[in-house]
Every structure is written in C-alpha cells, then in structure tokens.
Amino acid sequence: MTPPIPFVEKQATSFPAEKRLVSRRKVLGILSAVGAGVALSPGSFAQNAAAGPRIIDTHHHIFPPKFTARNLKRMTDDSPTFPGSFYQNWTPHYSLDQMDQQGVATAVASITSPGIWFGDNEEGRKNARDCNDYGAKLAQDFPGRFGMWGAIPLPDTEGSLSEIEYIYDTLKLDGIGLLTSYDNGKLLGHPNFSPVLEELNRRKAVIFVHPTISCCGMPVRHVNRVQIDFPTDTTRTITDLIYSGSLLRFPNIRWIFSHGGGTVLMLTPRLAGGGLTPEERAATIPNGFEHELQKLYYDIASVALSPIPMAAVLKGIPKDHLLFGSDIPFFTIERIATAVNKFDVPGSDLRMIQRENALQLLPRLKT
C-alpha cells in the first residue's frame, strides 16, 4: 500500500492520524491532473464556482515558481515536516480544483512563513517583486478567482515603502501580507515599523498577518515547533500592537489575524492590563483590552477543526469579524469547509463567515 503524504497544517494541534493524512494516490492524482491542466485555458476556470456558497478564502498560500526555486531550502528548514516537492508541486490548477469542489469563488493568495526577507535587502526586494508580479498575473489569468495580499520586504523600510507604492498604484492588489515578527523577534508594534504602518494607515490598508518564528521557538519532543510557537507569536504581536499604541495611532488599518488569533483569547485575563497605571491605560486601552481585540478580524483556519477553540472564537469575537481561511495547501479546503458547515450558528452568521465579511473588506469582489 502506498504510504500517505502528511497534509497536516503547520499550526494544527494533534488530530487523529486518519484525519491528518491525504493519500499519496489522491494527491498525485490531483497533481497529475493539474499538471495536464497547464494545457487548459485559464478561462476554463473562470466561472466554475458560480453556484454554491461562493466562499471567499482569505488564507490561501501560493508558491511562485521563481521565488520557490531560489528559497526552497529556507522553506523546508522553516518547516521540516514538508519535503521540497510539497512546495514545488503547487500550481494554480491545484488550488482551483479544490476551490471548485468546495464552492470557493475567490482565494486571496499570500506568501507563508518564512516570508521573503532573509537578511539581505536587495534579495528581499527581488523576492517581493517576484511574488507580487506572480500574484497579479494569477488574478489576471483567472478573473475573479484570485486576489493577493502583497508581500513587502520588512524590516527593510525603504524597500517596503517602495513596494507598497507598486502594490497599490501599479498592481492594484487587495492589501498587504505581513508576518507576526521580523529580524530576530521584532513584533509589528516595534518603532522600526512605524513608517510603514503610517503609510499603510494612509492607504486604509487591509493587512493579513501570518505567524512565523523569528525568535524564541522552543522545541518540544514529538511536536513540530510551529504547532505551539506560531499561535504564540500571533498572540505576541496582537498584544504588542495594542500596548505599543499602534492600533490607536493607525486606526484606518484593518487587521486580519490567522488561526482565530492564536492563543490570545485564552490569555485575555492575563493580558488585560492589570499592571497599568490609569494614565497608561487611558493611552493604550481606554476601552479595555477585549475591546481592542474585537476591532480586529480573524480567520478560522485550523481552529475550525475543533469545537473547543472554535467555541471561544464564536463567543469572544463578533461574528462580523470572522473570515473563512483554508490554509491550503497545508490543509485541504474540504476539511475546513466541512467543519464550517457544522458550526452551531444561524445561517446568516455562516454566510457572513463564508463570504459577506470578506466583502466588507474587499468590496471589489462584489462584482
């Protein structure tokens, strides 16, 4: 019997083995089909999701071929669970096949950890441009099916500001994709990033934030380091944005955080500012820590698969701030879409999570 290929998502908790695996035969069948599908015209995928729920997937990873070829070792070092072929075998048709099967109308693509900047500014700028041009071409080739969270080469401020201009004024992408931290643990509220956040605030940007480990990862036997440290880094950067005053200083930015906000809901009582002076509280959380959390948007990738964390998300976050996210290819869209359909919520709330909330952030997708 052919051994299975693990498709467990980097951040997932430990699920039963039969739920964490997709058979190699099925995967190779899909990849074979999409490999042959290079001969298919992009237009053949244009309207395949016209019926059904017309889900908008805001957490959908792509692997641009040039960028991936140059940085493959960095990707496999970042998450050793996945072989190089896992990244190299992704194609647009692989995504579209799953999207069509599950009623996903549009996927907003992003670059996952370890990101695009690896210590050299010129290299980071080249990586950003390659990824953004590829994402723009993807949206052009498959009208209505793809968007893109543009990549910028933080912590390179000058390069990031230049790429933001290109992303918005030339490519007209949907927003910006960031990691939770950069450059050995600098979280997004760090003063070094203020010029970039000022520009994104001016542009009323939507920012999708994906976790990474730029420092502080602590190994645990039998557990992939990202399973604990990715959601922890999400919590760190949300807390840092709040207590640095960044959420108050840059009110026009709409933030999306992955995986239900990591561990932030569980830690809210510990993070709620009990040690602040009245003056500090007034300056950072005048309406309370939880109020700041509820300003943010959160996708339900990975957390949707378990009723326990999902119960906290549904209780702690306004329904109109929750977004569908598959985290493809680390999960299949089918697993997340099936889990979402089992939520004990009214149909109107389900519709918001699947599509309507994303339309409030990305009104171009209404047409």
Side-chain angles (χ1 to χ4, degrees):
M1 181 176 177
T2 303
I5 295 177
F7 256 67
V8 61
E9 189 267 4
K10 296 181 191 177
Q11 302 85 339
T13 51
S14 182
F15 297 106
E18 68 273 13
K19 292 186 178 181
R20 290 191 284 111
L21 302 176
V22 176
S23 74
R24 181 182 293 271
R25 183 173 299 171
K26 181 175 180 180
V27 173
L28 292 180
I30 292 172
L31 294 176
S32 175
V34 299
V38 172
L40 298 175
S41 67
S44 66
F45 285 91
Q47 301 299 328
N48 285 5
R54 294 187 56 76
I55 295 168
I56 298 172
D57 182 0
T58 62
H59 187 153
H60 191 110
H61 297 307
I62 63 171
F63 301 100
K66 291 181 181 178
F67 165 77
T68 301
R70 284 199 308 273
N71 296 288
L72 187 61
K73 185 177 186 304
R74 288 162 168 160
M75 294 177 178
T76 55
D77 286 349
D78 185 68
S79 186
T81 303
F82 301 96
S85 58
F86 177 86
Y87 303 97
Q88 293 171 310
N89 287 341
W90 176 87
T91 71
H93 294 75
Y94 172 77
S95 284
L96 286 161
D97 182 77
Q98 290 197 39
M99 291 162 64
D100 288 344
Q101 290 181 41
Q102 302 302 321
V104 174
T106 306
V108 188
S110 57
I111 305 302
T112 189
S113 179
I116 62 167
W117 185 88
F118 304 103
D120 181 280
N121 285 352
E122 289 304 316
E123 179 191 35
R125 295 176 189 187
K126 178 176 175 56
N127 285 337
R129 188 59 54 94
D130 281 356
C131 291
N132 293 330
D133 283 345
Y134 184 88
K137 185 67 161 53
L138 194 62
Q140 179 183 6
D141 286 348
F142 302 96
R145 304 309 305 278
F146 288 101
M148 179 74 177
W149 304 121
I152 62 174
L154 277 181
D156 171 13
T157 299
E158 182 181 345
S160 293
L161 292 173
S162 176
E163 195 65 19
I164 288 167
E165 182 179 10
Y166 183 68
I167 285 167
Y168 280 98
D169 298 342
T170 300
L171 298 182
K172 302 190 184 303
L173 301 182
D174 293 295
I176 302 296
L178 297 180
L179 297 177
T180 47
S181 59
Y182 294 89
D183 194 20
N184 197 34
K186 293 181 177 66
L187 300 164
L188 293 180
H190 194 281
N192 287 8
F193 305 145
S194 289
V196 171
L197 294 186
E198 287 173 5
E199 174 62 11
L200 293 174
N201 185 67
R202 185 183 73 81
R203 291 183 178 268
K204 299 179 170 62
V206 181
I207 300 179
F208 169 76
V209 182
H210 193 278
T212 189
I213 306 173
S214 65
C215 78
C216 313
M218 299 174 67
V220 177
R221 185 178 297 181
H222 305 308
V223 177
N224 186 317
R225 66 187 187 126
V226 302
Q227 292 173 308
I228 293 175
D229 289 300
F230 267 30
T232 300
D233 217 49
T234 295
T235 299
R236 286 192 188 103
T237 213
I238 291 172
T239 306
D240 187 52
L241 284 168
I242 292 173
Y243 284 122
S244 67
S246 298
L247 292 191
L248 294 181
R249 288 201 311 276
F250 308 120
N252 296 325
I253 296 176
R254 275 95 29 98
W255 298 90
I256 302 170
F257 289 91
S258 301
H259 317 115
T263 61
V264 73
L265 290 176
M266 289 296 294
L267 296 178
T268 296
R270 303 175 69 92
L271 300 174
L276 298 182
T277 67
E279 293 77 18
E280 290 170 333
R281 181 177 292 274
T284 56
I285 51 170
N287 299 302
F289 187 84
E290 291 186 27
H291 176 82
E292 299 305 310
L293 290 183
Q294 293 184 357
K295 294 178 181 178
L296 310 174
Y297 290 79
Y298 305 84
D299 74 49
I300 48 78
S302 80
V303 292
L305 297 176
S306 172
I308 298 172
M310 199 61 220
V313 170
L314 291 171
K315 183 72 173 177
I317 304 301
K319 303 296 192 304
D320 60 358
H321 278 224
L322 297 178
L323 303 166
F324 183 95
S326 70
D327 216 340
I328 189 175
F330 302 102
F331 276 128
T332 62
I333 297 177
E334 178 184 13
R335 289 189 65 198
I336 304 298
T338 299
V340 169
N341 283 324
K342 294 179 180 178
F343 290 172
D344 185 17
V345 298
S348 58
D349 289 349
L350 183 64
R351 184 68 175 163
M352 285 197 297
I353 295 168
Q354 290 177 319
R355 179 173 174 84
E356 299 300 329
N357 295 338
L359 291 180
Q360 297 303 311
L361 296 174
L362 305 171
R364 77 163 184 89
L365 298 180
K366 292 179 181 179
T367 57

